[in-house]
Amino acid sequence: MDYDKALDTALTRLHDEGRYRTFIDIERRKGHFPHAVWRRPDGTRKDIVVWCGNDYLGMGQHPVVLAAMHEALEATGAGSGGTRNISGTTVHHRRLEAEIADLHGKEAALVFSSAYTANDATLSTLPKLFPGLIIYSDALNHASMIEGIKRNGGARRIFRHNDVQHLRELIAADDPAAPKLIAFESIYSMDGDFGPIREICDLADKVGALTYLDEVHAAGMYGPRGGGVAERDGLMARIDVINATMGKAFGVFGGYIAAGARMVDAVRSYAPGFIFTTSLPPVVAAGAAAGIAFLKTAEGQKLRDAQQLHARILKMRLKGLGLPIIDHGSHIVPVHVGDPVHCKMLSDMLLDEFGIYAQPINFPTVPRGTERLRFTPSPVHDLQQIEALVRAMDHLWGHCALNRAEVSA
């Protein structure tokens, strides 16, 4: 086989479909987010505003987080030194897991290197703990959940997105005595819509199923202490396993699960994705713990309130221009484009002409034909920056609409 030719064919296909992904080289500036510097391929530099980051509340630049990380770095050094079983557990890891368990009202928590790994490792391990387990998965669950469920070797069922009636029908067709788990999300990040948590919990109670909720895009963002949508709706106690990340609203890095003590102990003891992975550096664990603790406070609520206000303002302004906004009431602001080439064109022109950084979202992250720009306003985006984004989209949307018409003709 000509391996180089095969690689060229695969990469050319992405270019031809207009969905080849390019990395934008940016330099974040401490204390100045969402401002950053774009290093162009030719070596020149341009000041930009980041509009597509997942540091939803600007906590990656918050003095509380930075101070905790500086202190831990001076005290412990850089790396953790090994897996959690082999020298990789420190007081910072223990404090972080205690903060997480408290945040979600659970007995225990377990930290992983990422939320992807936490989902993959946990969902692929559960059938070992519950022989014969059937996992029911929402059709739009994150890739990490899908991969974990596929790899576990157990039975799986896919229910239509947010369709509790379809879920009910799938469960009814299976053995009532079989162990069951329903895996879903609180906020689906590409459309910004909410999962029907209460209805799924009601169904799980009736059929004796476990519930597994991904709160990756909600932890830190919703609820009076940042516990997520389940906290906001008073449903945390009805969820058996909660998955989330420290890399979005909390501004640092890593993922976790929170659950009952026996569940966490079993996953800790059986999941290869946890057992054989070097633990987070203590400096990262310290920063994440500080971020979580801060967002539980009244000051954290001020950030959440400001973020929600800015999201509402941006949605209102873009809707006023007649742009196809996908609005389900969450903090995420997707603008539907529907074509990978034009989506990339819009992204490039925003960056080149206006210094606005918003990466295109293409297949396989979203289905073909639903390509979009996904804006993530934060408390540290000001009203002038929102105005600049709205004016840029107003200018470019008409240009791209004309381009689409010319191509169609």
Side-chain angles (χ1 to χ4, degrees):
M1 182 179 187
D2 187 335
Y3 296 104
D4 287 338
K5 183 178 180 180
L7 293 173
D8 287 340
T9 298
L11 292 171
T12 299
R13 182 166 61 248
L14 294 178
H15 283 285
D16 290 345
E17 293 176 2
R19 59 186 186 92
Y20 178 77
R21 301 182 183 211
T22 57
F23 292 151
I24 304 300
D25 188 353
I26 66 171
E27 296 177 3
R28 287 165 63 99
R29 292 175 169 177
K30 186 179 76 171
H32 294 281
F33 183 77
H35 291 283
V37 174
W38 169 36
R39 286 194 174 189
R40 294 186 179 98
D42 64 3
T44 60
R45 298 154 67 92
K46 182 180 178 68
D47 290 333
I48 62 171
V49 176
V50 178
W51 273 100
C52 59
N54 287 330
D55 186 359
Y56 290 137
L57 299 176
M59 289 299 293
Q61 305 286 308
H62 198 283
V64 168
V65 173
L66 299 184
M69 296 183 77
H70 278 295
E71 182 180 349
L73 180 64
E74 292 301 319
T76 67
S80 69
T83 67
R84 289 291 293 278
N85 296 311
I86 304 175
S87 78
T89 296
T90 70
V91 64
H92 299 291
H93 297 89
R94 293 296 192 190
R95 183 199 167 197
L96 174 57
E97 287 172 342
E99 288 286 359
I100 293 167
D102 174 73
L103 176 69
H104 294 292
K106 299 301 181 187
E107 294 176 335
L110 192 65
V111 170
F112 292 78
S113 56
S114 70
Y116 188 108
T117 303
N119 270 333
D120 187 14
T122 303
L123 289 167
S124 63
T125 296
L126 290 177
K128 301 174 187 176
L129 306 175
F130 307 109
L133 180 69
I134 303 171
I135 297 184
Y136 302 84
S137 176
D138 187 285
L140 293 188
N141 276 342
H142 189 264
S144 58
M145 301 173 77
I146 294 169
E147 287 303 310
I149 293 168
K150 282 181 178 179
R151 288 200 310 106
N152 67 33
R156 63 183 186 271
R157 312 282 186 260
I158 311 300
F159 61 94
R160 290 187 292 269
H161 177 53
N162 279 351
D163 190 336
V164 179
Q165 179 56 35
H166 186 222
L167 171 61
R168 187 177 291 110
E169 293 167 1
L170 292 175
I171 292 174
D174 285 321
D175 180 358
K180 301 173 177 65
L181 180 141
I182 305 170
F184 62 112
E185 301 185 32
S186 62
I187 296 180
Y188 292 84
S189 63
M190 291 300 108
D191 284 347
D193 57 331
F194 294 87
I197 303 175
R198 188 179 303 277
E199 292 86 345
I200 287 178
C201 287
D202 289 344
L203 177 57
D205 288 345
K206 289 180 181 178
V207 302
L210 297 170
T211 49
Y212 186 104
L213 180 64
D214 182 306
E215 289 257 39
V216 160
H217 291 273
M221 302 296 294
Y222 296 84
R225 299 170 75 242
V229 178
E231 184 196 24
R232 183 197 69 180
D233 296 347
L235 298 170
M236 283 197 302
R238 301 183 68 184
I239 302 298
D240 293 293
V241 182
I242 292 175
N243 164 274
T245 181
M246 286 90 74
K248 292 184 170 58
F250 300 120
V252 192
F253 181 75
Y256 62 83
I257 61 167
R262 285 191 296 272
M263 178 72 79
V264 168
D265 195 20
V267 172
R268 179 190 70 84
S269 301
Y270 279 88
F274 175 82
I275 295 170
F276 299 105
T277 298
T278 299
S279 66
L280 290 181
V283 62
V284 173
I292 292 171
F294 178 84
L295 288 182
K296 293 175 182 177
T297 69
E299 291 301 309
Q301 186 59 46
K302 290 179 182 179
L303 290 181
R304 285 188 284 277
D305 291 342
Q307 194 282 329
Q308 290 286 337
L309 175 62
H310 288 174
R312 289 195 298 271
I313 291 172
L314 180 58
K315 288 177 184 179
M316 178 184 66
R317 294 296 309 280
L318 293 177
K319 285 179 182 178
L321 298 177
L323 271 61
I325 302 297
I326 304 170
D327 185 5
H328 294 282
S330 73
H331 60 285
I332 296 167
V333 186
V335 178
H336 182 268
V337 179
D339 176 89
V341 174
H342 292 112
C343 196
K344 182 67 165 60
M345 180 189 304
L346 268 172
S347 173
D348 289 345
M349 294 173 75
L350 282 170
L351 188 63
D352 290 336
E353 298 180 24
F354 297 93
I356 291 171
Y357 176 39
Q359 275 282 46
I361 308 295
N362 295 328
F363 178 83
T365 306
V366 295
R368 297 178 193 274
T370 69
E371 292 81 6
R372 68 203 60 184
L373 296 175
R374 177 180 173 274
F375 299 109
T376 53
S378 75
V380 293
H381 287 91
D382 59 35
L383 295 180
Q384 289 75 25
Q385 290 162 348
I386 293 174
E387 178 67 22
L389 172 60
V390 170
R391 290 182 178 275
M393 287 295 291
D394 188 24
H395 174 80
L396 294 178
W397 194 260
H399 173 86
C400 287
L402 179 62
N403 186 278
R404 284 196 294 271
E406 291 174 349
V407 170
S408 299

